[in-house]
């Protein structure tokens, strides 16, 4: 049987985090902190949130422990506040005002622990006309202009980039940056604070370089016609003869020259420099890639500076020789998953435990964090006892 409380390594060893259970970017942010060694206690509620994922396979709950608390039951908020008193960080992803109504909002938590970094993860933020409304990644990235940049056809619809851009890049990672900065401030000055991490803010922030290019005249405000959005024939994706695809990123001239040589293009330099002939170049590149399989082209470009890579599926990626050599993916408890990132020379992050099952660690956390109220039976349990 796996022991949940194992030796913690990583640069965040000794940091205690309370995560109020939710779905999406909040749990992922807490997982990242846990991967880096923090003791993350996830407060699950009876019935729990979720998108139908088996808790035993929900990788975003790895390296955590779980306690079961009903925040709507008598004693529920008090038990969470007891945890908060002993924590360094709290993460919640409720709509604005919900944590306050449940009795675990910033005022209540900071009153118990003035040094707390209170991290709030939402799509729209804590204020503004859309703050109280529901939303998802696709809507958040739509209004920031990020979604409108993605896709090959300026006259067609944008391409949906799964939910990586908004939820996780603009959301989770900005929440992690925020709570770590707040934690540093608290340790230096003894003052906690609230971190308002809105996906719209983070996603907009990610487009800073594109805004600079737009202002400087180096970017057109429409998709599929720019250097990095598929408009450039030597920065894009091409089909191979077997239905696979190759990704090309030969932007710099010396890399482009190597790419053109290995691809077997004629008049490559002239075509590259003449924007009016880019459609002609695109057709030439596409025709060459259609002449061989993905495996054959991978062998042609492997180990070169042509900046060409095969487009792999999620199941194929762990077997890629470079990723395998770096152990970018790992297996734990029979589940193949991305390994902790980034890497540290002195305090490496580790895969210590599998996904925390709801409530499985209540007694252990009550003991380790000295919160006996966690072991008190709920009203429902008392009635059935």
């Amino acid at each position: 049987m796996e022991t949940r409380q194992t030796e913690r390594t990583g640069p965040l060893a000794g940091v205690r985090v309370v995560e109020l259970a939710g779905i999406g970017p909040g749990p992922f942010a807490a997982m990242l902190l846990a991967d880096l060694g923090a003791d993350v206690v996830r407060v699950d509620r009876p019935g729990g949130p979720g998108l139908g994922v088996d808790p035993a396979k929900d990788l975003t709950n790895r390296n955590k422990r779980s306690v079961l608390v009903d925040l709507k039951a008598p004693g529920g908020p008090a038990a969470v506040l007891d945890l908060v008193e002993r924590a360094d960080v709290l993460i919640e992803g409720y709509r604005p005002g919900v944590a306050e109504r449940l009795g675990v909002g910033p005022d209540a938590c900071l009153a118990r622990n003035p040094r707390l970094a209170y991290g709030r993860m939402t799509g729209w933020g804590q204020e503004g006309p859309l703050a109280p409304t529901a939303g998802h990644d696709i809507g958040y990235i739509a209004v920031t202009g990020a979604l409108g940049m993605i896709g090959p056809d300026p006259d067609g619809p944008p391409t949906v980039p799964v939910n990586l851009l908004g939820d996780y890049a603009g959301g989770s990672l900005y929440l992690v940056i925020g709570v770590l900065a707040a934690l540093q401030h608290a340790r230096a000055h003894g003052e906690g604070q609230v971190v308002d991490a809105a996906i719209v803010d983070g996603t907009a922030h990610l487009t800073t370089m594109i805004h600079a290019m737009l202002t400087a005249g180096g970017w057109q405000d429409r998709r599929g016609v720019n250097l990095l959005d598929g408009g450039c024939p030597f920065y894009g994706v091409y089909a191979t003869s077997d239905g696979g695809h190759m990704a090309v990123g030969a932007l710099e001239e010396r890399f482009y020259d190597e790419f053109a040589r290995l691809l077997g293009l004629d008049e490559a330099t002239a075509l590259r420099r003449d924007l009016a002939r880019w459609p002609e170049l695109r057709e030439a590149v596409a025709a060459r890639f259609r002449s061989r399989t993905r495996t054959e082209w991978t062998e042609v470009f492997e180990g070169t500076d042509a900046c060409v890579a095969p487009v792999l599926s999620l199941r194929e990626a762990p077997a890629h020789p470079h990723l395998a050599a770096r152990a970018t993916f790992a297996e734990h408890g029979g589940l193949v998953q991305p390994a902790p990132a980034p890497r540290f020379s002195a305090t490496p992050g580790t895969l210590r435990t599998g996904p925390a099952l709801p409530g499985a660690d209540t007694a252990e956390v009550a003991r380790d964090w000295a919160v006996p109220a966690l072991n008190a039976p709920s009203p429902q349990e008392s009635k059935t006892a």
Side-chain angles (χ1 to χ4, degrees), residues 16 50 59 125 131 145 179 184-185 198 209 228 241 243 264 269 281-282 289 321 349 360 375-376 383:
R16 285 180 166 181
L59 296 174
V179 297
Q184 165 64 18
H185 177 82
M209 186 192 78
L228 301 174
S241 64
T269 301
L281 176 57
R282 183 185 303 282
F289 273 118
N375 280 325
K383 291 177 183 178

Side-chain angles (χ1 to χ4, degrees), residues 2 16 26 36 39 53 71 77 92 99 115 128 146 171 199 226 244 253 259 261 269 274-275 315 359 363 371:
E2 184 178 52
R16 285 180 166 181
L36 299 183
D39 182 5
V53 178
L71 280 168
E92 61 95 355
R115 299 168 61 92
I199 294 172
N226 295 289
E253 188 162 350
F259 160 68
R261 181 183 68 81
T269 301
D274 188 351
L275 270 64
R315 293 192 185 278
V371 183

Side-chain angles (χ1 to χ4, degrees), residues 26 31 42 51 57 66 79 90 108-109 128 159 167 236 267 269 339 341 384:
M31 181 206 79
R42 178 178 168 94
L51 293 174
K57 296 180 179 179
S66 170
L90 179 140
C109 288
T159 298
D167 280 352
E267 298 182 306
T269 301
T384 58

Side-chain angles (χ1 to χ4, degrees), residues 46 69-70 72-76 376-385:
V69 176
D70 185 353
K72 294 182 179 180
S378 68
Q380 293 83 355
E381 292 173 331
S382 298
K383 291 177 183 178
T384 58

